[in-house]
Amino acid sequence: MVTDTRAPDSTAPGPTGAVPDKPSLDGLEDKWVARWATEDTYGFDRAAALAAPRGDTFAIDTPPPTASGSLHVGHVFSYTHTDLVARYQRMRGRHVFYPMGWDDNGLPTERRVQNYYGVRCDPSLPYDPGFQPPAKPGKDQQPISRRNFVELCERLTAVDEAAFEELWRRVALSVDWNNVYRTISGTSRATAQRMFLHNLARGEAYAQEAPTLWDVTFRTAVAQAELEDRERPGAYHRISFHSANGPVFIETTRPELLPACVALVAHPDDERYQPLFGQTVRTPLFEVEVPVVAHRLAEPDKGSGIAMICTFGDLNDVTWWRELQLPTRPVVGWDGRLVAEPPAGVPDQPYAELAGKTVFSAQQRIVELLRESGDLQGDPTPITHPVKFFEKGERPLEIVTTRQWYIRNGGRDADLREVLVARGREIQWIPDHMRHRYENWVEGLNGDWLISRQRFFGVPFPVWYRLDAEGEPSYDDPILAPESALPVDPSSDVPEGFTEADRGVPGGFMADPDVMDTWATSSLSPQVASGWDTDPELFAHVFPMDLRPQAHDIIRTWLFSTVVRSHYEFGTVPWSHAAISGFVVDPDRKKMSKSKGNATTPLDVLDRYGSDAVRWRAAGARPGADSPFDEAQMKVGRRLAIKILNVGKFVLGLGASAGLSAEQVTEPIDRGLLATLASVVEEATAAMEAYNYTRALEVSEAFFWSFCDDYVELVKSRAYSTGDAARSAQATLALALSVQLRLFAPVLPFVTEEVWSWWQSGSVHRALWPTAAELPAGGDPAVPAVAAEALAAVRKAKSEAKQSMRADVATATVTAPEAQVALVEAARVDLTSAGRIASLSVVAGEGPLTVDVVLAEPSEA
RNA sequence: GGGCGCGUAGCUCAGCGGGAGAGCUCUCGCCUUACAAGCGAGCGGUCGCAGGUUCGAUCCCUGCCGCGCCCA
């Protein structure tokens, strides 16, 4: 039976009880990964947690990694950061609810499946129950049905997820592997659909036919959060429009949209064009009459100061179209090619030869035509300008008018924006300044959250539409799936009152063809992980959760969208804390990413330095701070791990660890050492409480090295002897080891567990975090500090004489401030034996402590 | 262009009102029975620049320069 905590018991003999002769890191990872799995060391005890007050539970909303992606050391670092907190909270005696999820729906998985198997989804094909993917992907992607495609997605993500889990176990993430969720699972789909229906019922979700940013490669709409500007070359084409009073020159980077032109626009204050306002001009080539209008967004210093408004070249066009109530003349289709028929009012010629061309080819042809007609003045002027891209896309976004689902997020409602900003202020951000990222994003929103995607592997909208007598869908009264039926797949499930025969026929029904964007599901990770749909009792206990760990690049997406969903459904923030990790960057300070080719594979690094060493390095990266990848640092972590093994061997090898207790610590230097350690414990604890694992490690580590180099050296010979004084040293060493192993346990789970197992029963990771109270009070930290200072002076004398540290000292005279004399005297025995000093005298004097050292004559060899 | 963060030893970073620090690197030593995958010692910085506040500024304020991230 696994209990959540057990009190440390420094006298109980361990299960193995044996200290190896030659401790080594080799094999520790395999050994303890297996042991932790069989003993379910990190399992969440649901019953115990529910029986205890909420404050005894610590719930973490783990980021579900994209299972189809690849991991690099940056992921290892940020997940380790979370694990440091989880392990600390567990050692504080809390029930740590630490699930793991896989984000396996959406575009990345589709792409991986396409490439891995050499297939593509064709929703018009029927399901083939016997389908087997080609052994090797062929030259051309094989079209398969949607259901076959989804099956391949599920098959491949299962494999990917297993590989991820193995890596996470190797890194020693202390997640509860009994609690794993997938964003494409039935539960996730049901949760996402149920939440969507709630949003819809409350008016928070809606569908609208509207201009939408559109990726022509993926043939899907994309959301504002997925946009990025990229600098791209372009050219201003100076083109003449025709009017009764002569030509009007505009400059455009997109001459191919000439047939889509609905107006010209200039700034209302622009005197050059004021006479034209209210007039009409004719487009070149097509001779379509368009009005000249005024609008404040027109930029007088850009180009000629007058621009054409098209359907739709950019977001300004959309604004103009909406605010000036202009007609539309769509020419760009969903595939990024010019549509077959010209828009109403645009003549067949010369449009016919543009139809079917890509925008690129259409532009070339239009430019030729303009040259021939004399409407292109001069040569195009090359420029570079920002162009909107889908962050995962490679071709510029177009704007097409489509019917899409949206969730209100404040982008069109200043009051809601304010409310959501206020929600952000309810969250404790780590580090605090990351709050600005959130607020900037919310305040800069300019549209609602577009959640529908024209893709296949995702959560479908649980919606059907009736078809009228002409077979046209009636969008005004959608048929919603009943909540009891969720999850549904409207493309194979049939709404109540219809049969499959009614699908797609006049008077029948059709499914909503879209799926939800992956963020629309992952924004529900607290609900999915905490059992909103499956375990209401648990959900009521752990939600709102304690911690959302994530990286800063997805504050605008994952963090914000999670806040939105929680705000709507529960009227609360989803977690009390958000801990934001920085990136691991390469030596040039560039973010590590696979696409840049600078990513370091974690397995290789883990193999060479060990998980503890990599975790140690991760713990040195403060929350929110980027840290450069530097292998030299890994070596330092590895050295610390080895040192812990060796000092553990020394302390326990004294053969006297059993039966020792704090009462036996009598010597002033020993009591002083433990007093110092008590303040280290207090400082480390305060740092961990503030999520400052870096500071906690720093103080623990600084103590540890001086413990090894000074204290252990000072008391070594006393510890080897017998009697009360020896027992005092042995008890101190044992106590200090126990405390330090626990201080290091979150960072170095493998070596601390190994050493712990030599003399303790149970896992160090289920032991209680150390407290100052378990150490004897009243010791004077100055005793070991001054003794170490004196010893250092002796060592320096030997070092400068190029002598071994084992060289004998004939006489050593310590001159110390009056107040320190007694301190040195208190450590006299240890100091003389550690320094191999034949005759030590201590005198009071001015200034800081000094030691006059007279080395003994080297003995004859 | 806006927001945020950062400029401290060759490198990575602590410190954030009264003594400029750590680790790594480097140099010189040491086989020392926990550890040579170790130990000891040492070298190394007008704390980005310029003003201001203060008895006193690496630390607070202002401006500038440089770097990074996010957003337009």
Side-chain angles (χ1 to χ4, degrees):
Chain A
M1 171 186 159
V2 174
T3 53
D4 261 297
T5 58
R6 63 180 302 285
D9 183 350
S10 61
T11 59
T16 61
V19 181
D21 288 339
K22 192 78 182 163
S24 163
L25 297 179
D26 295 341
L28 289 191
E29 293 176 11
D30 288 344
K31 170 180 167 184
W32 290 110
V33 165
R35 187 81 62 84
W36 294 331
T38 53
E39 297 188 353
D40 197 22
T41 305
Y42 309 117
F44 172 71
D45 188 338
R46 179 183 177 282
L50 292 186
R54 173 61 180 86
D56 290 352
T57 294
F58 191 85
I60 302 172
D61 183 22
T62 322
T66 302
S68 56
S70 57
L71 288 175
H72 52 69
V73 281
H75 295 106
V76 171
F77 272 40
S78 59
Y79 279 85
T80 297
H81 294 158
T82 306
D83 188 57
L84 299 172
V85 174
R87 286 179 179 277
Y88 166 73
Q89 294 291 349
R90 191 177 293 110
M91 293 178 76
R92 292 288 281 181
R94 299 210 165 88
H95 304 278
V96 174
F97 182 69
Y98 189 10
M100 178 58 68
W102 310 116
D103 191 10
D104 46 16
N105 84 46
L107 207 44
T109 299
E110 287 189 22
R111 286 209 290 187
R112 177 156 156 76
V113 165
Q114 286 172 354
N115 296 332
Y116 188 90
Y117 294 112
V119 297
R120 69 181 166 83
C121 180
D122 182 344
S124 67
L125 294 175
Y127 176 62
D128 174 1
F131 173 76
Q132 286 298 322
K136 274 186 180 174
K139 242 184 195 168
D140 297 316
Q141 293 184 335
Q142 180 180 349
I144 60 174
S145 77
R146 175 179 174 140
R147 189 166 154 195
N148 285 120
F149 187 77
V150 168
E151 282 177 2
L152 287 184
C153 288
E154 291 182 339
R155 186 200 292 196
L156 189 56
T157 51
V159 173
D160 289 337
E161 284 157 19
F164 268 52
E165 179 175 336
E166 193 184 342
L167 177 65
W168 284 153
R169 286 180 183 273
R170 172 82 183 279
V171 174
L173 297 190
S174 62
V175 308
D176 179 359
W177 289 107
N178 305 309
N179 190 350
V180 177
Y181 68 90
R182 310 172 69 194
T183 57
I184 198 60
S185 72
T187 300
S188 294
R189 294 202 310 273
T191 297
Q193 290 180 335
R194 193 182 318 285
M195 193 66 89
F196 168 78
L197 290 173
H198 290 195
N199 290 138
L200 190 59
R202 290 189 298 253
E204 296 146 4
Y206 62 92
Q208 189 180 50
E209 174 115 8
T212 307
L213 284 158
W214 186 268
D215 186 287
V216 298
T217 305
F218 297 109
R219 296 194 194 182
T220 183
V222 301
Q224 183 183 351
E226 297 170 298
L227 300 182
E228 63 184 37
D229 283 349
R230 297 185 197 161
E231 286 295 324
R232 278 293 180 275
Y236 272 130
H237 299 73
R238 189 170 167 86
I239 296 173
S240 60
F241 277 57
H242 308 156
S243 83
N245 303 319
V248 177
F249 290 99
I250 62 117
E251 293 187 18
T252 180
T253 58
R254 301 204 61 185
E256 70 277 17
L257 292 180
L258 202 52
C261 179
V262 294
L264 297 189
V265 64
H267 195 276
D269 299 338
D270 194 331
E271 292 178 4
R272 294 171 294 176
Y273 300 110
Q274 279 170 351
L276 285 173
F277 294 150
Q279 310 284 311
T280 61
V281 295
R282 275 171 294 114
T283 60
L285 303 182
F286 301 95
E287 299 296 330
V288 173
E289 195 156 312
V290 296
V292 180
V293 297
H295 193 276
R296 64 185 192 286
L297 282 180
E299 296 177 61
D301 348 337
K302 205 166 159 187
S304 56
I306 187 166
M308 62 175 184
I309 302 175
C310 304
T311 306
F312 295 99
D314 59 24
L315 292 173
N316 271 348
D317 282 347
V318 177
T319 304
W320 285 323
W321 161 75
R322 186 176 287 134
E323 293 189 8
L324 301 171
Q325 299 181 333
L326 298 165
T328 59
R329 294 202 174 101
V331 297
V332 177
W334 292 14
D335 55 359
R337 293 173 182 273
L338 269 62
V339 294
E341 298 296 325
V346 176
D348 267 347
Q349 296 303 330
Y351 185 86
E353 62 173 302
L354 300 172
K357 285 190 189 309
T358 63
V359 292
F360 179 80
S361 311
Q363 181 180 100
Q364 289 186 316
R365 184 59 191 141
I366 283 264
V367 168
E368 284 171 16
L369 291 170
L370 287 168
R371 267 191 218 286
E372 288 165 17
S373 70
D375 289 307
L376 181 69
Q377 194 186 54
D379 284 322
T381 316
I383 56 158
T384 59
H385 60 154
V387 178
K388 294 211 179 303
F389 280 74
F390 175 34
E391 60 187 355
K392 296 186 171 75
E394 278 146 30
R395 292 165 73 187
L397 293 174
E398 294 294 342
I399 298 171
V400 301
T401 299
T402 51
R403 190 171 181 282
Q404 304 286 345
W405 287 102
Y406 296 84
I407 289 179
R408 299 181 200 280
N409 66 358
R412 298 169 63 181
D413 177 348
D415 290 343
L416 179 55
R417 268 204 299 276
E418 262 180 53
V419 169
L420 291 171
V421 167
R423 284 286 179 224
R425 292 189 180 138
E426 293 176 38
I427 299 167
Q428 195 173 324
W429 296 76
I430 302 148
D432 189 65
H433 66 80
M434 287 296 174
R435 172 193 320 281
H436 298 292
R437 294 278 187 96
Y438 174 90
E439 293 185 0
N440 282 356
W441 175 254
V442 177
E443 285 161 359
L445 287 168
N446 56 28
D448 281 334
W449 176 21
L450 194 163
I451 57 164
S452 46
R453 295 292 182 276
Q454 288 64 53
R455 304 299 307 176
F456 317 108
F457 191 54
V459 178
F461 289 87
V463 174
W464 299 267
Y465 306 103
R466 291 180 182 83
L467 299 178
D468 64 15
E470 279 75 49
E472 290 299 314
S474 118
Y475 290 122
D476 294 338
D477 58 339
I479 307 166
L480 305 179
E483 286 198 38
S484 58
L486 302 180
V488 299
D489 178 4
S491 65
S492 57
D493 295 329
V494 176
E496 219 174 293
F498 291 90
T499 68
E500 186 59 36
D502 298 321
R503 188 184 295 276
V505 300
F509 71 94
M510 64 169 271
D512 187 298
D514 294 346
V515 298
M516 295 180 203
D517 172 37
T518 186
W519 296 114
T521 307
S522 58
S523 62
L524 303 171
S525 60
Q527 289 88 320
V528 171
S530 307
W532 179 61
D533 233 10
T534 54
D535 189 348
E537 204 187 347
L538 175 68
F539 184 77
H541 185 74
V542 301
F543 185 90
M545 303 175 86
D546 295 270
L547 179 64
R548 155 60 73 87
Q550 62 163 79
H552 55 66
D553 55 336
I554 52 174
I555 289 173
R556 63 180 178 160
T557 48
W558 192 38
L559 194 150
F560 174 57
S561 60
T562 311
V563 169
V564 170
R565 307 305 291 279
S566 177
H567 166 74
Y568 279 141
E569 190 69 30
F570 310 108
T572 175
V573 288
W575 351 262
S576 56
H577 297 73
I580 309 297
S581 286
F583 292 134
V584 173
V585 294
D586 70 12
D588 296 329
R589 298 261 163 192
K590 297 292 178 219
K591 179 190 171 185
M592 213 172 246
S593 72
K594 198 187 173 193
S595 57
K596 289 202 182 90
N598 62 353
T600 306
T601 312
L603 271 179
D604 177 49
V605 179
L606 292 169
D607 280 340
R608 279 186 291 139
Y609 300 102
S611 293
D612 279 343
V614 176
R615 289 176 61 101
W616 175 87
R617 177 65 192 96
R622 305 166 75 85
D626 292 349
S627 60
F629 180 74
D630 179 1
E631 296 210 3
Q633 297 294 320
M634 307 285 176
K635 291 181 193 164
V636 179
R638 185 174 174 83
R639 216 164 64 181
L640 173 65
I642 292 170
K643 192 80 171 175
I644 288 172
L645 283 180
N646 281 317
V647 81
K649 180 197 162 189
F650 166 73
V651 170
L652 301 175
L654 294 169
S657 60
L660 294 171
S661 68
E663 294 80 60
Q664 293 167 308
V665 180
T666 52
E667 296 296 307
I669 191 172
D670 300 339
R671 298 177 63 82
L673 186 277
L674 294 179
T676 308
L677 180 55
S679 64
V680 166
V681 167
E682 280 172 348
E683 198 169 348
T685 305
M688 288 306 292
E689 285 296 316
Y691 295 82
N692 193 346
Y693 43 78
T694 303
R695 175 69 188 154
L697 173 60
E698 194 178 285
V699 295
S700 301
E701 207 180 337
F703 176 87
F704 175 73
W705 286 108
S706 98
F707 169 77
C708 290
D709 295 339
D710 297 329
Y711 177 77
V712 167
E713 293 302 328
L714 278 163
V715 305
K716 192 180 270 182
S717 57
R718 175 158 55 93
Y720 273 129
S721 65
T722 55
D724 287 350
R727 229 180 336 273
S728 176
Q730 291 157 3
T732 303
L733 289 166
L735 215 45
L737 181 65
S738 162
V739 168
Q740 290 180 93
L741 287 176
R742 284 175 282 147
L743 287 175
F744 284 126
V747 181
L748 308 166
F750 291 105
V751 279
T752 53
E753 184 77 313
E754 173 68 13
V755 176
W756 191 259
S757 76
W758 293 340
W759 59 318
Q760 306 279 1
S761 57
S763 170
V764 70
H765 303 299
R766 287 271 171 180
L768 282 177
W769 182 255
T771 62
E774 64 187 88
L775 295 166
D780 183 356
V783 177
V786 169
E789 198 180 338
L791 179 61
V794 173
R795 288 197 290 229
K796 180 171 179 174
K798 293 181 182 178
S799 189
E800 283 175 350
K802 302 195 175 184
Q803 295 291 303
S804 158
M805 290 301 122
R806 217 175 51 163
D808 288 325
V809 172
T811 65
T813 307
V814 176
T815 307
E818 181 78 46
Q820 291 185 359
V821 170
L823 304 176
V824 180
E825 288 294 353
R828 165 177 284 276
V829 174
D830 291 335
L831 190 54
T832 51
S833 60
R836 302 177 73 91
I837 299 165
S839 168
L840 173 70
S841 44
V842 185
V843 298
E846 298 298 310
L849 183 146
T850 58
V851 184
D852 284 325
V853 177
V854 179
L855 293 171
E857 290 297 317
S859 55
E860 300 294 323

